[in-house]
Structures are given as structure tokens and as C-alpha cells.
Amino acid sequence: MEQRKQGNGTAHFCRPAKRPMPASYVTALKDAVAGSQGDDGWSSLTTIGNHLRAHGKTLEESGCSSLTDALCASGLFDMRDLGGANKDFRLGKGRRS
């Protein structure tokens, strides 16, 4: 169960438990973010997706409905919201090697 702000109060959402993301897909996400980052250390969602596709990975392998969901579900990345669907990701603080 998840609790979120909604209007002036809160709402509770229940979702079925998700299966864990395969370790190979988590590794592919890390490689995609590291391999597509700009000079500022951030990777755009588009370049991450392109990197994954170029290396034969599909979203279906993650078990998530979107690439943003997969990146967030891994718990490894920081996200910078640039408005709309424009989001950038980097390996989370304390997880950089």
C-alpha cells in the first residue's frame, strides 16, 4: 500500500506486488546511464532508452510499464525532472564508483 498527497488530503493506493527486476536488467540500466551521460553527469531518458535498445534490451525484461518506472524501481538512480516527459538520471549519490 502506498500513501500519496492528493488535494488537501491523502489517498491510499494498493498495487499487486511486483516481481523483482532481473539482475541482468539492473546491470544494463547502470551501463546505459553510465554510457550515455553528458558532461554534467546526467543521462536523458531518451539516450538511456537508445543505449538499452542498441544493446538488445527491451522494457518488457524489466517487468515495469515504463523506462522511468524501471529506473526508479531499481532504487539506484537520482532523477532530475525537467518538466513533462523530460527526465534525466544519474547513479545515485553514494552509489557512484
Side-chain angles (χ1 to χ4, degrees):
M1 179 157 20
E2 183 178 330
Q3 183 176 333
R4 292 190 227 158
K5 281 188 159 193
Q6 186 172 13
N8 291 330
T10 56
H12 293 83
F13 296 88
C14 296
R15 293 192 177 153
K18 292 183 179 179
R19 67 173 204 250
M21 192 179 306
S24 63
Y25 199 82
V26 173
T27 300
L29 287 175
K30 286 195 245 183
D31 292 345
V33 170
S36 62
Q37 67 187 10
D39 293 337
D40 61 358
W42 291 90
S43 302
S44 75
L45 193 57
T46 302
T47 57
I48 295 167
N50 289 341
H51 189 278
L52 289 169
R53 280 188 293 283
H55 289 84
K57 291 294 183 182
T58 64
L59 181 60
E60 290 77 24
E61 293 175 66
S62 74
C64 296
S65 60
S66 71
L67 182 53
T68 299
D69 287 348
L71 288 157
C72 292
S74 73
L76 298 174
F77 305 100
D78 293 331
M79 181 178 75
R80 174 172 70 175
D81 192 339
L82 303 172
N86 298 320
K87 294 173 180 40
D88 288 347
F89 292 86
R90 69 177 177 196
L91 194 57
K93 189 173 183 173
R95 296 181 193 100
R96 296 184 194 129
S97 40

